[in-house]
Amino acid sequence: MSLNWLYTAISWILLRWHDVWSFLGGREVLATNWDWILAIVFLVITVRVILFPLFVKQIKSQRAMQALQPQIRELQDKHKGDRETLQKEMMELYRREKANPLMGCLPLVLQIPVFISLFHVLRRLDPTQTINTTLYTWTDEQFHSASLAQLFGAPIASRFFDENFARFDELDANLVTVRIVTGILVVLMMITTHLTAKQMILKTGWATDPTQLMMQRLMVYGLPFGLLFSGAFFPLGVVIYWVVQNLFSLAQQQWVLRKYPPPPVSQTPLPSFGGPRSGPGGGSGKGKDPGGGKGGPKDGGQGKRGPGKGGGKDGTPEPPAVDGKKLAPKPGAKPLPQKKLPGKRVPPSKNIPPKRKSSVPRKG
């Protein structure tokens, strides 16, 4: 499919911003043609403003996925070892809750055609070219001016590995300067790409869905690492575009996350009263009084505090347990010897003969 319409659209936006900054007259400051550099910067701003509604949808989708994390964990525990069933259940969950895990990558996916278009347009820039200079709404003057534009002495149409650097001889540019400027910007491109992806994930949390987690790791680590190699073949103007886009994205995301902070990550709250996790040793009491201290289940929730003070929240089942223990010794055999013991213990504590003499006549 031909992308000429997209090349034309991106070129038109770039050239209109160059017209805005044309009052600078192509003057160089710090060996830089700021009219073309600012045109690339404001091309980024224009694209980001157009994609801002999709960026908002991206935030909403990520928060919807965050809210589904507890249910996703339940499905993972339920279908552990059965990936096919797990994927079906998760797709059904996404459909039922109207959540789309791919929505989080949509703004980036839509920026790829813009990046390809700018790459195609800037790759054509060549001071020695005399044909096809008016494609995509360009004029000969604009084409020649952009072909000679520089950033700190490095032409924006040059690359780190430039096979035909002799075309810039009239600029007195050298390949060492190009590689220094391009190398610094490629490193900045990698760092800002990593920070842009990581900034959002740190606010919303890492996904528990294996597919979504793989996508997050690819965005945070895989893409920045890939730019180390591909960035050396990009025209310098494309690298400028990418770095400015990342810086703008960092500022935009920071503003959105401050204005609309994400909900806290859902966690199982610790119960303040009762429950298996409150109190030392997993007792069922309240605070530090887990229903009978060290007594535990063997003491019926009484422990060392005595009857009526231990137990859980309700306290209703504890009174019958306490009464049962009070009444338990009465039907046993132990109460009988307890009645005889005071009779046997009394004689040794007092004088034995007078008590025996006094006891005989009383019986007669």
Side-chain angles (χ1 to χ4, degrees):
M1 186 179 74
S2 176
L3 294 178
N4 288 335
W5 66 272
L6 188 56
Y7 301 155
T8 303
I10 297 302
S11 295
W12 186 86
I13 297 174
L14 178 66
L15 295 176
R16 297 293 75 77
W17 279 115
H18 178 260
D19 293 341
V20 172
W21 298 104
S22 60
F23 69 90
L24 297 175
R27 290 173 292 182
E28 295 186 7
V29 179
L30 299 176
T32 301
N33 300 96
W34 291 105
D35 52 346
W36 285 106
I37 301 301
L38 291 174
I40 294 175
V41 170
F42 279 85
L43 170 64
V44 173
I45 296 176
T46 303
V47 172
R48 295 297 300 187
V49 170
I50 293 174
L51 295 179
F52 183 76
L54 293 177
F55 175 72
V56 174
K57 289 185 178 181
Q58 176 192 15
I59 299 295
K60 293 181 178 180
S61 176
Q62 289 177 341
R63 293 181 181 177
M65 293 299 300
Q66 183 183 8
L68 293 178
Q69 292 305 310
Q71 300 182 50
I72 293 175
R73 283 192 290 267
E74 290 180 3
L75 291 176
Q76 290 174 345
D77 295 338
K78 180 180 179 182
H79 303 289
K80 192 174 183 180
D82 189 356
R83 292 184 60 86
E84 184 177 356
T85 304
L86 176 62
Q87 291 298 328
K88 291 181 180 179
E89 292 289 339
M90 292 181 64
M91 289 297 105
E92 178 64 23
L93 176 63
Y94 295 152
R95 185 193 63 79
R96 185 171 63 252
E97 299 296 335
K98 298 181 180 179
N100 187 0
L102 300 179
M103 183 62 69
C105 301
L106 184 59
L108 178 63
V109 172
L110 293 179
Q111 290 182 61
I112 292 178
V114 178
F115 171 80
I116 294 175
S117 300
L118 186 63
F119 176 83
H120 176 77
V121 170
L122 296 184
R123 187 183 58 178
R124 295 180 59 256
L125 297 178
D126 186 348
T128 63
Q129 185 172 343
T130 57
I131 58 174
N132 295 329
T133 58
T134 58
L135 292 176
Y136 315 130
T137 71
W138 287 71
T139 64
D140 290 331
E141 181 182 358
Q142 291 171 335
F143 187 89
H144 185 72
S145 174
S147 299
L148 299 178
Q150 302 178 77
L151 175 66
F152 303 127
I156 64 173
S158 61
R159 306 174 184 85
F160 189 90
F161 296 112
D162 204 316
E163 299 176 355
N164 186 23
F165 192 74
R167 57 189 173 166
F168 302 111
D169 285 344
E170 62 178 293
L171 294 175
D172 295 329
N174 60 80
L175 189 58
V176 175
T177 302
V178 171
R179 290 182 174 178
I180 291 174
V181 175
T182 306
I184 293 174
L185 287 179
V186 167
V187 172
L188 288 176
M189 181 171 62
M190 294 171 57
I191 294 174
T192 52
T193 300
H194 171 76
L195 294 177
T196 302
K198 191 175 181 180
Q199 181 188 47
M200 187 65 65
I201 293 176
L202 290 179
K203 293 292 184 180
T204 58
W206 290 93
T208 57
D209 176 25
T211 303
Q212 191 178 7
L213 180 61
M214 181 183 64
M215 294 175 60
Q216 288 180 338
R217 288 177 176 173
L218 182 63
M219 294 296 300
V220 176
Y221 302 108
L223 181 58
F225 182 75
L227 293 175
L228 177 63
F229 304 98
S230 59
F233 299 95
F234 293 160
L236 180 58
V238 174
V239 181
I240 296 171
Y241 173 87
W242 196 303
V243 172
V244 175
Q245 173 187 266
N246 289 340
L247 293 175
F248 189 87
S249 298
L250 283 170
Q252 188 181 56
Q253 289 180 174
Q254 185 67 19
W255 179 82
V256 171
L257 292 173
R258 280 189 178 182
K259 190 172 182 64
Y260 307 102
V265 180
S266 59
Q267 296 178 353
T268 304
L270 293 177
S272 57
F273 296 97
R277 298 181 65 180
S278 63
S284 59
K286 178 179 179 180
K288 293 184 179 181
D289 182 15
K294 298 180 180 180
K298 293 182 180 180
D299 296 337
Q302 296 175 8
K304 295 182 178 181
R305 292 181 177 266
K309 292 186 179 180
K313 296 180 183 179
D314 302 334
T316 52
E318 296 171 0
V322 173
D323 295 339
K325 286 191 175 182
K326 289 180 179 180
L327 299 174
K330 293 181 180 180
K334 293 182 179 180
L336 295 175
Q338 288 177 359
K339 292 180 180 179
K340 296 178 180 180
L341 287 175
K344 292 180 180 180
R345 290 178 181 177
V346 172
S349 61
K350 295 182 180 180
N351 295 327
I352 298 174
K355 284 186 177 180
R356 288 181 180 177
K357 292 178 181 180
S358 59
S359 61
V360 174
R362 286 178 183 176
K363 290 181 180 179

